[in-house]
Amino acid sequence: MGTPKIREAARAIVLDEADRVLLLRYDEGDGVFWATPGGALDPGEDHQTATRRELAEELGVTDVNLGPEVATRSKEHLIYGETTRQIERYFIVRIPARHVDPARATQTDDILAWEWWTLADLRATGQVVYPVGLTELIDSFLANGAPASPFAFTG
């Protein structure tokens, strides 16, 4: 087995004025799951630029002020049938819920639904949510601010 292809990605932990987190629902063959907005970097793009682009494409939101980078995640999985190691960097983004308009999204990438989750709902759900540990990271960020170095997600 060869070395997996590397795919750099940027993701946003989008929080609204009530500290709810916005998650996107997907069904990619392995079952339905929820995840934060984001995706792969385009050639020559940095993580911050990619995060802003992805928010415009997936949520119809422009003119975004990125908050701090709070986490990283490295996960090997199949992308278009090829084993790929996706390396993600996560940024906090504060957006009023009324500014998110999926009708203005330009690339929905098979998104089935957009939903704001309270942290209590996120803690109680039996649904699959990526990244694993998202609730704890948000709890820590809200209580303590950005970590001194990004938290490393394992799942």
Side-chain angles (χ1 to χ4, degrees):
M1 184 170 175
T3 303
K5 175 182 171 183
I6 300 294
R7 181 181 193 229
E8 293 283 336
R11 305 201 77 80
I13 299 172
V14 178
L15 301 173
D16 73 358
E17 59 277 14
D19 293 335
R20 296 179 303 168
V21 62
L22 182 64
L23 297 176
L24 310 178
R25 184 174 177 226
Y26 297 91
D27 183 354
E28 292 188 350
D30 293 335
V32 174
F33 64 92
W34 294 88
T36 59
L41 275 63
D42 285 343
E45 199 172 41
D46 65 29
H47 288 82
Q48 293 85 351
T49 302
T51 303
R52 288 184 185 92
R53 176 183 48 76
E54 289 287 340
L55 291 171
E57 291 175 355
E58 295 179 349
L59 307 180
V61 176
T62 57
D63 194 29
V64 172
N65 291 319
L66 291 185
E69 179 182 345
V70 294
T72 61
R73 178 179 181 235
S74 178
K75 178 123 174 103
E76 207 168 284
H77 55 101
L78 289 179
I79 298 178
Y80 304 116
E82 183 178 4
T83 301
T84 304
R85 174 160 295 282
Q86 181 154 302
I87 301 169
E88 303 170 332
R89 291 171 61 181
Y90 287 78
F91 297 86
I92 294 291
V93 179
R94 288 275 191 186
I95 300 173
R98 68 184 180 284
H99 290 181
V100 174
D101 185 1
R104 290 191 318 244
T106 60
Q107 292 185 12
T108 56
D109 299 328
D110 301 319
I111 297 168
L112 301 175
W114 295 257
E115 187 172 318
W116 291 100
W117 293 61
T118 66
L119 293 178
D121 289 342
L122 199 54
R123 275 189 279 281
T125 190
Q127 297 186 56
V128 176
V129 176
Y130 294 116
V132 173
L134 178 62
T135 308
E136 292 79 8
L137 176 68
I138 295 170
D139 280 337
S140 177
F141 174 77
L142 293 174
N144 306 311
S149 60
F151 173 80
F153 285 119
T154 58

